[in-house]
Amino acid sequence: MQAKQSVYDYYCKNGMKIDKILNEIDEQGDAHVGSSAQTPIREDAFELSDIEKVALINKDVKHIMETLGLDLTDDSLKGTPQRVAKMFVNEIFAGLNPERKPIASTFENKYKYGEMLVEKNITVYSTCEHHLLPIVGKAHVAYISKGRVIGLSKMNRIVDYFAKRPQVQERMTMQIVQELQKALGTPDVACVVDAKHLCVNSRGIRDIDSSTVTSEFGGAFKEKSVKREFLDYIKLDTIF
Ligand SMILES: [Zn+2]
């Protein structure tokens, strides 16, 4: 009670200032401005086990729903906090945990394939870190081997790993490229992501048609002709 009172007093004294700070944070989120190429996680992020996290988040979601006035004894609602908690930890934010990072094993480029390899139309399901609403789209990834090659599905898995975090699309695009550069031992990696953000499509400006395109071009892909070739491959219709 006393703690609540002192927070209240502080707010009365500094209310204007706090409102200003909160508005600025809100505006930064609505503008989808990210602050770093690394996902901002705390050092103690993995001190709790996944099971402990699910238990805590369960309580938090329950609290949010109760605050909204929902009746959690209702059959349809009573399982929701647990379902959401499990989904956060084991599915949509599972890529926060480095232990879940796919092992990007590479192989010697025995066939000496020297051209660009493009893995396109990789499905992206991510979550906007400013609103915790879905980002849904496609990623297109390319590299030119400097001696090592990587299994095709590994590229899909790397995209999925970085997507399964609260994300900013620009950061996710850079993280995918940096990871593949590390695995393949070459700067010649590129990624384009084209995705819809439900925080733009379903709320706020509610523009259902707009999508966001981000790109990262490493090494040789900075050259105009190489970049052009990659972008032309993306446009190709795949025939089954
Ligand atoms: Zn958003």
Side-chain angles (χ1 to χ4, degrees), residues 29-32 127-135 167 197-200 203:
D30 267 338
H32 295 92
T127 306
C128 153
E129 70 180 0
H130 301 125
H131 300 93
L132 298 187
L133 282 173
I135 301 171
Q167 269 294 14
H197 292 234
L198 260 66
C199 54
V200 176
R203 59 158 290 287

Side-chain angles (χ1 to χ4, degrees), residues 5-220:
Q5 192 60 45
S6 62
V7 169
Y8 180 74
D9 288 346
Y10 181 82
Y11 185 81
C12 289
K13 273 188 223 152
N14 300 284
M16 292 290 285
K17 226 190 316 180
I18 292 172
D19 281 345
K20 190 169 171 278
I21 292 166
L22 289 177
N23 277 337
E24 279 168 11
I25 291 171
D26 232 24
E27 278 167 22
Q28 189 186 3
D30 267 338
H32 295 92
V33 176
S35 53
S36 160
Q38 300 302 315
T39 299
I41 49 174
R42 294 196 320 267
E43 268 180 33
D44 63 355
F46 305 106
E47 282 179 11
L48 292 175
S49 69
D50 284 355
I51 291 169
E52 288 169 319
K53 285 180 185 177
V54 168
L56 282 173
I57 296 170
N58 176 14
K59 278 190 205 157
D60 296 331
V61 175
K62 202 169 162 205
H63 185 218
I64 291 171
M65 293 176 75
E66 279 169 352
T67 307
L68 289 169
L70 292 164
D71 177 6
L72 286 177
T73 62
D74 185 272
D75 272 351
S76 174
L77 295 179
K78 67 180 177 200
T80 302
Q82 177 75 357
R83 249 190 315 271
V84 172
K86 277 189 178 167
M87 177 183 73
F88 274 17
V89 175
N90 300 327
E91 293 179 78
I92 66 172
F93 300 141
L96 283 170
N97 191 339
E99 283 181 11
R100 289 204 178 90
K101 185 152 84 173
I103 298 163
S105 33
T106 58
F107 310 92
E108 196 190 329
N109 183 7
K110 282 191 181 150
Y111 27 86
K112 306 284 180 225
Y113 176 71
E115 297 297 326
M116 175 186 307
L117 185 145
V118 182
E119 182 77 358
K120 64 179 189 158
N121 294 328
I122 300 171
T123 302
V124 171
Y125 283 113
S126 190
T127 306
C128 153
E129 70 180 0
H130 301 125
H131 300 93
L132 298 187
L133 282 173
I135 301 171
V136 186
K138 297 282 180 197
H140 314 283
V141 181
Y143 74 92
I144 301 166
S145 173
K146 265 219 167 60
R148 307 295 296 172
V149 294
I150 191 165
L152 297 179
S153 69
K154 276 284 149 63
M155 290 190 274
N156 301 57
R157 286 184 199 286
I158 287 169
V159 168
D160 195 49
Y161 169 70
F162 287 107
K164 282 182 170 156
R165 298 175 174 196
Q167 269 294 14
V168 176
Q169 188 176 318
E170 297 92 314
R171 184 203 292 135
M172 178 175 68
T173 310
M174 290 162 72
Q175 287 176 332
I176 293 164
V177 168
Q178 286 166 9
E179 186 62 27
L180 281 163
Q181 286 174 328
K182 230 177 2 175
L184 289 158
T186 173
D188 304 339
V189 178
C191 177
V192 169
V193 178
D194 182 3
K196 282 185 174 286
H197 292 234
L198 260 66
C199 54
V200 176
N201 302 140
S202 73
R203 59 158 290 287
I205 188 78
R206 297 176 70 147
D207 186 344
I208 188 77
D209 290 323
S210 69
S211 69
T212 305
V213 179
T214 48
S215 60
E216 176 78 356
F217 300 104

